[in-house]
Amino acid sequence: MRKQKKVSESYVIMTELVLPNDTNTLHNLMGGKMMHWMDIVSAIAAQKHSNRIVVTASVDNVSFRESIKLGNVVTLEAKVTRAFSSSMEVHIVVYAEDIPSGTKVLSNQAFFTFVAVDQSGKAIDVPEAVPETEEEIKLYDGALRRRQLRLVLAGRMKPSEANELKSIFDIKESAQS
């Protein structure tokens, strides 16, 4: 039986201050800097879950709902949503806070996938993720569909094999022509 770890044990919170060197000419946080921070916080969450070295395997869509301005405080929260044999999906939520005005907005959300590796870089098994809260269960339940979509888009799985994706659309094998 695989070792199990609670999703909450992987929770990481990271805070950054947006400085002039982090911004573009409009004084907004550069997207590449945001992705860098998201990669760090999610890698730490994956390491906490697996107790192993991890490498980034994929990044889902990263889009800005709200721009993040020079001087904002950025809070990134990450936790493992589900673990497969050697890979882990990590959900990241990003908030931007303007402390002088007292406003805080949700700026980004994304899913990153990591693979745990041994010292020689070979993929290694990770503990099963055990969700407890309603939100954790919802993210856990959707993780297999998101994984299958990633694999189909990467050409590593045939669409006809993506049973969880097909169930969303209620596609029947006989209906395909």
Side-chain angles (χ1 to χ4, degrees):
M1 184 173 154
R2 262 170 78 188
K3 182 180 174 185
Q4 295 183 332
K5 283 182 96 171
K6 295 176 185 176
V7 165
S8 59
E9 293 179 67
S10 69
Y11 179 74
V12 176
I13 188 165
M14 184 170 104
T15 306
E16 297 284 345
L17 176 64
V18 180
L19 299 172
N21 199 42
D22 302 323
T23 65
N24 60 25
T25 54
L26 298 174
H27 303 289
N28 292 324
L29 179 65
M30 289 187 283
K33 179 57 101 172
M34 170 58 67
M35 289 188 65
H36 173 78
W37 290 342
M38 293 173 86
D39 197 33
I40 291 170
V41 72
S42 55
I44 294 169
Q47 286 182 340
K48 284 180 70 172
H49 180 78
S50 64
N51 294 108
R52 296 289 183 177
I53 297 166
V54 298
V55 294
T56 310
S58 72
V59 175
D60 284 10
N61 179 38
V62 177
S63 56
F64 286 82
R65 293 181 184 185
E66 299 283 337
S67 60
I68 299 175
K69 304 287 186 192
L70 174 65
N72 282 173
V73 173
V74 179
T75 303
L76 302 99
E77 299 177 10
K79 62 184 168 189
V80 169
T81 60
R82 190 162 180 170
F84 298 95
S85 56
S86 62
S87 68
M88 296 155 283
E89 180 189 75
V90 179
H91 183 233
I92 308 106
V93 181
V94 181
Y95 298 96
E97 184 174 8
D98 182 334
I99 292 176
S101 74
T103 59
K104 185 176 184 178
V105 295
L106 174 66
S107 176
N108 303 74
Q109 286 191 67
F111 292 95
F112 283 34
T113 303
F114 290 85
V115 174
V117 296
D118 62 17
Q119 297 297 350
S120 64
K122 184 181 177 216
I124 190 164
D125 287 345
V126 298
E128 182 180 342
V130 179
E132 297 176 295
T133 68
E134 189 175 319
E135 178 198 12
E136 289 171 356
I137 292 167
K138 183 179 173 186
L139 290 169
Y140 179 92
D141 288 344
L144 185 54
R145 287 187 296 276
R146 290 186 296 272
R147 180 176 191 254
Q148 287 184 355
L149 180 58
R150 286 181 207 109
L151 293 172
V152 167
L153 291 174
R156 296 178 53 213
M157 176 184 268
K158 294 177 185 173
S160 62
E161 297 170 348
N163 294 327
E164 287 297 313
L165 282 178
K166 288 191 294 188
S167 70
I168 295 173
F169 302 105
D170 195 28
I171 297 172
K172 306 283 188 260
E173 289 298 323
S174 60
Q176 295 176 352
S177 19

